[in-house]
Amino acid sequence: MKKDLQFLHLIKDGSKPFSGWDFSYITDTDRVRSDILSWSYGSMAKQLIGSASSMLDMGTGGGEFLSMLRPFPKAVFATEGYKPNVEIAKKRLEPLGVKVAAIEDDHNLPFDNHQFDLILNKHESYSPKEVRRMMKVNGVFLTQQVGGTDCWGINEALEAPYNHEFENWNVTTAKQELENSGFEVLFSKEEYPIQRFYDVGALVYYLKAIPWQIPDFEVLTYEKRLLDIHKSIQTNGFFDVKQHRFVLKARAT
């Protein structure tokens, strides 16, 4: 393969370390952009926090997002299942009064029955029954989820296998699970915004940060197809894929 020096530079740049849940290296530099959703999870969460007395943030990552939703209620907790993120989250959140718990099992969280009147969950797995166990009657569960066909265009372009395990994870399935677990769904919506990559290095950085998209992803394995994407971006200016997002707001009955 004839080497393209710009391609090699971008690939090397895309291999920079990733920590917490912070994509600012490629988002704040406008190397990747996503269409705007018709809802704002952050605004919905902010309004709910204002009237909560006890809350939990599930899958807080490095605490980046949660830290921006202050002021918090008196009792606020967060969970994180990815070990490298736990200490990052503790360092960021515990000075703000947030107790961070490392977890391993969505079905067995270290909290009391009926402990929270608000549980937030952005892009984290969860057990509806376990969420209901921890929730006070009339408490609110707010979640934004990544749907099961998210960014399959990347897999198609790289000729990589699709992850069919969560193919049917969508707003209809999630809504039914919550209703079967003792929730009344107050609001739900599903959309497929476009995510646009402006250089192949940003794509590599993204794939290394989310290994579940292509579990065997290595630059050398997919170098030929990455070069094809690079050439396409040089011609068209960008590489587009379709995201899959949905949101649900539910009340414990």
Side-chain angles (χ1 to χ4, degrees), residues 11 18 27 37-38 47 60 74 96 115 118 120 122 127 130 142 150 190 193 201 215 233 241:
I11 292 298
F18 178 86
T27 57
L37 294 164
S38 65
Q47 293 174 43
T60 199
K74 185 176 181 180
L96 306 178
Q115 184 170 344
L118 174 63
L120 302 177
K122 185 180 183 185
S127 160
E130 184 68 350
L142 176 69
D150 185 66
E190 184 171 47
I233 292 174
V241 295

Side-chain angles (χ1 to χ4, degrees), residues 30-35 157 194-200 202-203 226 228-242:
D30 291 332
R31 296 171 64 187
V32 59
R33 292 181 181 176
S34 297
D35 282 351
I194 294 299
Q195 180 159 266
R196 176 166 291 182
F197 295 89
Y198 291 96
D199 70 74
V200 74
L203 176 61
L226 287 168
D228 290 341
I229 292 173
H230 171 65
K231 291 178 178 178
S232 176
I233 292 174
Q234 286 183 314
T235 300
N236 302 314
F238 53 82
F239 169 62
D240 281 354
V241 295
K242 188 185 296 183

Side-chain angles (χ1 to χ4, degrees), residues 68-88:
M68 294 187 288
L69 296 179
R70 291 173 286 172
F72 298 135
K74 185 176 181 180
V76 54
F77 296 79
T79 63
E80 178 54 34
Y82 183 51
K83 289 183 179 180
N85 282 347
V86 173
E87 290 306 315
I88 297 172

Side-chain angles (χ1 to χ4, degrees), residues 38-39 44 142 171 184-189 247-250:
S38 65
W39 67 83
M44 296 172 73
L142 176 69
V171 73
E184 175 191 3
V185 176
L186 305 174
F187 174 79
S188 63
K189 202 167 187 180
V247 64
L248 298 110
K249 177 183 176 182

